[in-house]
Amino acid sequence: GENVEQHPSTLSVQEGDSAVIKCTYSDSASNYFPWYKQELGKGPQLIIDIRSNVGEKKDQRIAVTLNKTAKHFSLHITETQPEDSAVYFCAASKETSGSRLTFGEGTQLTVNP
Amino acid sequence: NAGVMQNPRHLVRRRGQEARLRCSPMKGHSHVYWYRQLPEEGLKFMVYLQKENIIDESGMPKERFSAEFPKEGPSILRIQQVVRGDSAAYFCASSPIQGAEEQYFGPGTRLTVT
């Protein structure tokens, strides 16, 4: 089955700096890659996603890139703010599996003021 | 439009008791997924349901766990004879149509087995 690896497990940046989180996946048939933000005691919140027919997607300060050949995708957060501090999860799915998500292990992002 | 609702938010059970976790999907959503999150870990898929049908239960433990999504009412995840290893956060997600892929998560139920 699908395996998703996520790095780094923890990331600390200064406010205003950029943060990059990387994920790799194993199943070349995966075609949907969402990113979730999870704050303490809350459920995961979908923040951005990308499908395999595009290589990059941007929404204000966040962007995601996808390299299908290398089977990796990345989350980029620019101009980080303290409220960006949370655990971020990448995930992968394919339509033939009923769209169930396989998650990475998460990255604890801390933005220091 | 209300989001995915889960209750209870916190549930404490003694070993051997039953736990029932409820999930009401977003309005207009007919697909429900359950995931389990152990402390300091990512979410693991358990089961995918549509109304009155279990589509994929490959992530469910073979014993003690069951799920349903009746024609009327919320989806239920049931854990019989709970053990300490069942302590975790259980999240429900919903999506509107098959293949839409976007899944929206509820706040979770945090189960503690004492």
Side-chain angles (χ1 to χ4, degrees), chain B residues 30 32 47-56 67-70:
Chain B
S30 58
V32 166
V47 62
Y48 164 39
L49 311 104
Q50 296 175 20
K51 286 283 188 181
E52 299 184 283
N53 279 305
I54 298 174
I55 306 303
D56 179 359
E68 63 177 6
F69 189 15

Side-chain angles (χ1 to χ4, degrees), chain A residues 25-36:
Chain A
Y25 60 99
S26 61
D27 190 341
S28 57
S30 289
N31 58 0
Y32 175 66
F33 307 93
W35 286 87
Y36 287 87

Side-chain angles (χ1 to χ4, degrees), chain A residues 8-9 12 18 21 27 30 36 40 51 53 56-57 61 63 65 79 88-89 93 98 104 113:
Chain A
S9 56
S12 182
S18 295
I21 302 170
D27 190 341
S30 289
Y36 287 87
L40 193 63
R51 288 173 173 78
N53 57 346
E56 184 174 358
K57 184 177 178 180
R61 294 187 299 108
T65 60
E79 301 174 21
Y88 290 80
F89 291 98
S93 75

Side-chain angles (χ1 to χ4, degrees), chain A residues 1-5 24-27 92 102-103:
Chain A
E2 174 68 283
N3 182 50
V4 176
E5 295 190 356
T24 60
Y25 60 99
S26 61
D27 190 341
T102 300
F103 283 86

Side-chain angles (χ1 to χ4, degrees), chain A residues 89-105:
Chain A
F89 291 98
C90 64
S93 75
K94 57 184 179 182
E95 204 166 332
T96 54
S97 70
S99 300
R100 73 172 189 235
L101 296 169
T102 300
F103 283 86
E105 291 299 301

